[in-house]
Amino acid sequence: MGTVTLGVSIAVPEPYGSLLQERRAGFGDPAAHGIPTHVTLLPPTEVDAERLPEIEAHLASIAALSRPFAMRLEGTGTFRPLSPVVFVQLVEGETDCDQLQQRVRDEAGPVPRELQFPYHPHVTVAHGIAEEAMDRAFEELSGYAAEWTCRSFALYEQGADAVWRKLCDYEFGSGRTISAVPAQGCSPVDAPAVSP
C-alpha cells in the first residue's frame, strides 16, 4: 500500500491565514502556496498508508479530550543561524500547543516521533530564501498581531507535488471531524491530492 507523509497542525484562521500566506509569497518563498499558514503539532512524518485509520482515531481521541483555547500572534522571531526560518511569534497558547503536540507524538501512540529541535510553536513566514528577503520578513512583520480562539487541529497529507492538503479537522471537545478551516488565498491545500 506504500507510505504517506503526514503532518498535524493548527491552521491560522481567516483573515490572518491568507494575509500571512500572501506575505510569505511576497518575500519570495516558493513554498508559500503549498503550505497553509499554521502552527505545527507534528512535523512531516512518513508512515505506512495502512496506518491512517489508526492515526485518525488517535487524533480524534486527543481532540475529544481537548478544550478550546486562546491563541495570539505578536512580532517576529528567527531560528537563524541554526535554521533558515523567520516566524511570527506565538505569545499566547504556547502551553496548550505544547501539550497537544506531546499527545500527538506520544510514544505509545501510532506516530511516535523524535524532534530534531526542542518544540517551539510559531508561524513560519519565510524559510530557506535569500538572507535579504529573510531580513525583510523579520522587519516588515515585526509589528504584526492577531488573536483567535483555537477550536480544532487538522491532519494534512503532502502530495507528490509537495503541496500539503487537509484530510480533516478534529473538533475540540467532541473529536468529530469538521470542515471549518477553508483553503487560504490561492492555496490549493483543499484540492484533491495529485497521484504520483
Side-chain angles (χ1 to χ4, degrees):
M1 197 172 183
T3 63
V4 292
T5 300
L6 303 177
V8 178
S9 64
I10 293 170
V12 175
E14 296 304 334
Y16 316 120
S18 288
L19 184 147
L20 289 175
Q21 188 177 51
E22 291 304 318
R23 294 304 304 271
R24 183 171 180 174
F27 297 133
D29 191 329
H33 289 299
I35 304 172
T37 309
H38 68 282
V39 175
T40 298
L41 299 178
L42 177 72
T45 303
E46 189 173 339
V47 300
D48 290 332
E50 64 190 20
R51 301 199 71 192
L52 195 53
E54 180 186 2
I55 292 167
E56 291 173 334
H58 172 64
L59 296 176
S61 68
I62 293 168
L65 297 173
S66 301
R67 296 291 172 259
F69 59 91
M71 292 185 73
R72 185 161 57 93
L73 303 175
E74 189 174 298
T76 50
T78 184
F79 294 132
R80 295 182 294 173
L82 192 60
S83 181
V85 173
V86 170
F87 56 86
V88 174
Q89 298 188 77
L90 183 65
V91 296
E92 185 175 1
E94 312 100 311
T95 301
D96 299 277
C97 288
D98 186 43
Q99 290 171 351
L100 283 172
Q101 67 90 21
Q102 287 180 45
R103 291 180 195 138
V104 170
R105 295 185 307 103
D106 188 283
E107 62 184 30
V111 281
R113 167 76 194 264
E114 294 277 332
L115 297 180
Q116 185 177 2
F117 302 107
Y119 182 71
H120 183 275
H122 63 279
V123 176
T124 298
V125 290
H127 179 235
I129 57 177
E131 286 296 319
E132 298 77 18
M134 302 271 273
D135 292 341
R136 206 174 111 229
F138 187 88
E139 290 299 322
E140 290 184 13
L141 291 172
S142 63
Y144 183 80
E147 58 185 54
W148 69 93
T149 300
C150 177
R151 303 180 187 281
S152 65
F153 59 71
L155 174 65
Y156 291 83
E157 179 181 347
Q158 187 178 37
D161 55 1
V163 172
W164 287 91
R165 293 176 177 84
K166 183 174 55 180
L167 298 180
C168 54
D169 291 303
Y170 297 90
E171 180 182 60
F172 293 163
S174 72
R176 70 185 175 97
T177 58
I178 55 174
S179 296
V181 185
Q184 296 164 356
C186 300
S187 174
V189 295
D190 281 341
V194 175
S195 299

